[in-house]
Amino acid sequence: MKMWDPFALLPAIVSLREDGRYYLLDGQHSTEVAVEKEGPDFLRDCMVYEGLSDEQEAKLFLAANRDRKAVKPFDIFRVSITAGDPRNTRILAEVESRDLGISGSTSANKIGAVQALTALAVMDEKHAARDESGSLIYPLVLPEGRSPLIPQVLQVVEDAWGRNPATWEGIMLRAVAMVLNRNPGARLDRLSGKLAGHGKRKPITVAQWKESSIANTVGGGGSSSRSAPLAKLIVNEYNTGLTDPAELLIPPGRPDKD
């Protein structure tokens, strides 16, 4: 859920037509949210155009929407740090705790999978303490037995494959996080060893795990949709060779063991 901040609300685009009425051309959704959050008397800044034809209104709407250049996730992330966004500030701190950084492109020591890191942070937030109004408490307070996912996931994949761009693949970060989120007591050393293929004739690469996840995904899917079947494959590999039911991991989406 996005955090509401009326200060960050950009002006709406409005057309004053010949009938004397004001028509909202751009900003309908954000205006609805503003009224919901602040009440019907909330005042919003607007850019008001007068004497526009229907064609001009249509062109203005398209300029504000269709022709708007998409902002890259890293650019949004970088600016949000400057703005003091608590979630992204936490993400950056947790990544830096592993002597890594976040960048617009992935390298040996820089992670470019900003959306995957955000997904991990959201997983933590679902378990975190909230105040009386339902807002998250910062610094994040997790239940006993749970630790932040980002440092754990980065440790696991680095122990498995070392530091190289393939290690920080978003699909793998999401999948390992799903496994640990469902099984906070999992042994990190065993998990990294199973990912790397320790004990097998040949090591298992990130690319091979990705290929397996695609094969188990209907229609191929994106990195997010492929993470779920990949997480299940990882759980199956982790459980291979274990005989004590208490040590077995539960696949994401499954109910607790009896």
Side-chain angles (χ1 to χ4, degrees):
M1 180 182 295
K2 294 182 179 179
M3 296 181 182
W4 168 250
D5 185 353
F7 179 78
L9 190 63
L10 297 177
I13 299 178
V14 175
S15 175
L16 174 57
R17 295 180 179 172
E18 292 181 354
D19 60 6
R21 296 184 179 181
Y22 293 90
Y23 288 82
L24 190 56
L25 299 181
D26 183 64
Q28 292 92 337
H29 177 68
S30 55
T31 297
E32 290 176 0
V33 173
V35 171
E36 177 185 341
K37 297 288 186 180
E38 303 292 334
D41 295 328
F42 178 75
L43 298 178
R44 178 179 188 176
D45 291 333
C46 298
M47 293 188 294
V48 182
Y49 293 80
E50 299 183 25
L52 297 180
S53 66
D54 291 346
E55 181 180 351
Q56 289 172 322
E57 285 187 353
K59 288 181 178 179
L60 191 60
F61 174 83
L62 291 176
N65 292 276
R66 186 194 64 185
D67 300 332
R68 186 179 289 163
K69 185 177 180 180
V71 181
K72 295 180 179 179
F74 173 70
D75 291 330
I76 295 175
F77 179 87
R78 176 173 51 82
V79 174
S80 73
I81 295 297
T82 304
D85 179 83
R87 173 190 290 165
N88 288 339
T89 299
R90 176 171 66 88
I91 290 173
L92 180 60
E94 291 179 355
V95 170
E96 290 181 340
S97 74
R98 296 289 306 168
D99 293 323
L100 293 163
I102 300 175
S103 178
S105 58
T106 300
S107 63
N109 296 302
K110 299 283 186 180
I111 301 174
V114 174
Q115 291 172 309
L117 292 172
T118 301
L120 271 58
V122 171
M123 290 183 199
D124 279 339
E125 290 172 3
K126 292 180 179 179
H127 303 283
R130 296 177 180 268
D131 60 23
E132 294 180 355
S133 68
S135 300
L136 286 166
I137 298 174
Y138 285 97
L140 214 64
V141 179
L142 294 173
E144 184 177 353
R146 281 192 174 273
S147 301
L149 284 170
I150 289 175
Q152 293 185 86
V153 170
L154 298 182
Q155 176 186 335
V156 166
V157 296
E158 182 177 350
D159 288 349
W161 299 292
R163 293 197 173 189
N164 64 79
T167 300
W168 318 122
E169 284 273 3
I171 179 177
M172 182 57 71
L173 299 183
R174 289 175 187 259
V176 174
M178 292 173 70
V179 172
L180 294 176
N181 186 51
R182 187 67 185 85
N183 304 273
R187 288 170 44 196
L188 302 188
D189 58 341
R190 180 178 178 84
L191 182 56
S192 60
K194 287 293 187 176
L195 287 172
H198 292 175
K200 294 184 178 292
R201 294 177 58 185
K202 292 183 178 180
I204 305 176
T205 66
V206 176
Q208 289 172 318
W209 280 109
K210 287 177 62 178
E211 290 173 5
S212 297
S213 71
I214 293 173
N216 284 271
T217 304
V218 177
S223 62
S224 179
S225 63
R226 293 200 302 268
S227 297
L230 177 54
K232 293 179 181 178
L233 291 174
I234 293 172
V235 168
N236 289 340
E237 185 64 28
Y238 181 100
N239 288 341
T240 300
L242 294 176
T243 57
D244 185 352
E247 295 182 349
L248 297 175
L249 299 189
I250 304 172
R254 289 272 186 90
D256 291 334
K257 293 177 285 188
D258 293 334

